[in-house]
Amino acid sequence: MTRKIAILGATGSIGKSTLDLVERNPEQSEVVAVTAATNVQELAAIARRTNASLAVIADESRLADLHASLEGTHCQAAAGRGALLEAAAVEADLVIAAIVGCAGLEPVMAAVNAGRTVALANKEALVTAGALMIDAAETSGATLLPVDSEHNAIFQCLAGSDGKGVSRIILTASGGPFWTATADQLREATPEQAVAHPKWNMGAKISVDSATLMNKGLELIEAHYLFGLPSNQIDVLIHPQSVVHSLVEFMDGSVLAQLGSPDMRIPIAYALAWPERMETPAQRLDLAAVARLDFEQPDLDRFPALRLARAAMEEGGSAPAVLNAANEVAVASFLNGRIRFTEIPRLVERALEENRRAAPDTIEEVFEIDGDVRRAVAGAVEEMCA
Ligand code: NDP
C-alpha cells in the first residue's frame, strides 16, 4: 500500500534522511507536501524529485523565487504561516514533523488537530506544549510516533504491551563532544567544536544541545509526555558508543533495550513503516567489533542543563516552555559567537528564576510565554555583550 506523507522541515537533517528512505522505497510512499524555512532551491529540488503537490516556504519574501523554481511542474507553491499549517494538515497518512525549535509547534498542532499520524522529531514542540498536545491528540484521535532515537527505542521496547508493568525507562546519551572536557575546556569551547558530534550527524541546534546535554534534558520532558511517566521513573545514562538507544525496566526486573548503529534512518524507518518494518541501508550492528558497551552517570556539575531540564519538568506549568525558549535564544547566540558555551545554561537558569507563570491553557499562551522569554534572554545577551 502506498502511504501519502507530508514532510515538514524537508530540507533539514531529519527531512533528508526521511527522503533518502522514501526515495529508496518509491512504491511505499507518495510525498504530497514538503516545507522549509528559507532554503528555496533545495525545497524546489525536493519537490521536483518527489513529485510533491504542495511546497511551502515559511519565509513569505521567497514565494516568487519558489514559484520560479517550480515552473513546469504541477507542484503548488505557497508561503507563510497559513500555508505551513495547510501543509501540516494536508490529507496524508503520515506527517513527518522535522522543523527545528518552537517554530514547529503550530504546524505540529495543526497535524494533531487534524487527527493525523505524526512522526515527531520536533521535540521542542512537545516540550513547550506537552500537556496541550497530548490532550489534543486524545480529542482528535491523532497518533504520535516518536522519531527521536531514544523515544523510538522505548516505543519499540513497549510494542505489544499496554505500558503496564513498566518500572522505569532509561534514556541513553552519548555525552556529546565535550563529555571528557575539563571545566576550562568547556569555557573555551567553540561553535565548530560543539557541532562536531562524535556519533551523530545532525542539524546545528540539536548538536549544540547534545554538547550541553540540554538535548537529553529536552528528551526527559519529551519522554514524560509521550509515555506518561513521572520524573522518578525516567533515568539518564551516559553511553558513549551510542549503540543502546534506550532501555525499559519492567516490574519483574526484566530490562529490554533497542540496539543499532547510530543512524537516524533506523528510527525514521520504524515510524514510516509502523506498525510494520522496512529495509534501510543502515550499517548492521557488529557487536564483536563494538566489543564493549560503557555506561556511567551524567555529571550534573559540568553539564547543568540536564539538571535544569529535570527541575523544569518537575515544576511543570510554564517551566518547560521557559526552559526551551531561553535555550533556543542562548544556543543561537552561542552559534553566532556572541556568548560562551558555558553561558548557555546560565541564561536558561536565570530565565527559569525570573519567569514563573501559570501553566498555559492554550497554544496562544505558550507563544506569549515563548515570546516574552525570548525577548528577556535576548536582552540579557545584549547586556553581556555590551
Ligand atoms: P535542521 O536544522 O537540520 O533542519 C530544520 C528544518 O526545519 C529545515 O527544513 C528548516 O528549513 C526548517 N525550519 C527551520 N526553522 C523554521 C521555521 N521557523 N519555520 C519553518 N521551518 C523551519 O534540524 P534537524 O533535522 O537536525 O532537527 C529537526 C528536529 O528533529 C529538531 O527538533 C531536532 O531536535 C529533532 N531531532 C533531530 C535529530 C537529528 O539527527 N538531526 C535527531 C533527533 C531529533 P531551512 O532548511 O530552509 O532552514
Side-chain angles (χ1 to χ4, degrees), residues 7-17 35-40 42-43 56-59 84 97-104 107 120-125 147-150 200-207 209 215 218-219 222 264 267-268:
I7 309 177
L8 314 179
T11 51
S13 163
I14 293 287
K16 285 182 189 157
S17 294
T35 80
T38 56
N39 195 343
V40 167
E42 180 90 33
L43 181 67
V56 175
I57 195 83
D59 178 353
L84 207 55
I99 292 175
V100 61
C102 188
L120 186 74
N122 182 198
K123 64 190 84 181
E124 298 90 346
V147 166
D148 226 342
S149 59
E150 297 75 2
W200 298 94
N201 185 9
M202 309 181 285
K205 192 263 177 181
I206 184 176
S207 297
D209 285 345
N215 184 47
L218 297 176
E219 289 177 5
E222 188 183 7
M264 281 308 294
I268 294 171

Side-chain angles (χ1 to χ4, degrees), residues 18-291:
T18 305
L19 285 160
D20 179 68
L21 291 168
V22 166
E23 289 174 332
R24 283 171 194 271
N25 300 277
E27 71 296 342
Q28 289 183 17
S29 331
E30 176 193 345
V31 177
V32 290
V34 288
T35 80
T38 56
N39 195 343
V40 167
Q41 294 314 321
E42 180 90 33
L43 181 67
I46 291 168
R48 280 180 183 276
R49 270 192 349 250
T50 58
N51 241 340
S53 9
L54 175 64
V56 175
I57 195 83
D59 178 353
E60 294 190 56
S61 70
R62 298 178 196 239
L63 180 58
D65 277 357
L66 184 60
H67 266 300
S69 309
L70 287 172
E71 216 174 283
T73 72
H74 79 288
C75 183
Q76 182 199 339
R81 174 178 170 265
L84 207 55
L85 301 186
E86 194 189 314
V90 76
E91 195 63 51
D93 300 300
L94 185 65
V95 178
I96 312 289
I99 292 175
V100 61
C102 188
L105 173 56
E106 249 193 319
V108 173
M109 284 303 288
V112 167
N113 286 330
R116 300 285 175 257
T117 298
V118 180
L120 186 74
N122 182 198
K123 64 190 84 181
E124 298 90 346
L126 192 62
V127 166
T128 50
L132 295 172
M133 195 183 295
I134 298 297
D135 280 356
E138 273 171 20
T139 306
S140 70
T143 302
L144 292 177
L145 300 176
V147 166
D148 226 342
S149 59
E150 297 75 2
H151 306 74
N152 188 272
I154 292 163
F155 189 64
Q156 293 198 36
C157 293
L158 292 175
S161 93
D162 55 7
K164 289 204 182 102
V166 171
S167 54
R168 65 180 176 133
I169 58 177
I170 303 157
L171 303 174
T172 55
S174 70
F178 303 140
W179 178 241
T180 55
T182 62
D184 282 346
Q185 286 169 330
L186 286 178
R187 237 176 71 82
E188 301 304 326
T190 65
E192 292 70 29
Q193 291 168 333
V195 299
H197 196 279
K199 293 288 172 191
W200 298 94
N201 185 9
M202 309 181 285
K205 192 263 177 181
I206 184 176
S207 297
V208 176
D209 285 345
S210 296
T212 58
L213 287 202
M214 181 58 90
N215 184 47
K216 213 46 55 182
L218 297 176
E219 289 177 5
L220 272 180
I221 303 173
E222 188 183 7
H224 165 69
Y225 288 120
L226 279 175
F227 304 114
L229 293 171
S231 180
N232 64 2
Q233 286 182 275
I234 314 174
D235 286 341
V236 172
L237 274 182
I238 301 296
H239 167 47
Q241 290 88 359
S242 295
V243 164
V244 177
H245 298 304
S246 278
L247 310 94
V248 179
E249 182 189 277
F250 293 88
M251 64 201 293
D252 58 5
S254 295
V255 177
L256 297 189
Q258 185 260 350
L259 284 69
S261 301
D263 185 330
M264 281 308 294
R265 288 176 298 185
I266 298 176
I268 294 171
Y270 191 76
L272 277 177
W274 182 84
E276 292 170 14
R277 289 194 182 257
M278 65 191 279
E279 290 281 346
T280 79
Q283 201 180 352
R284 302 296 113 150
L285 184 60
D286 179 349
L287 279 174
V290 174

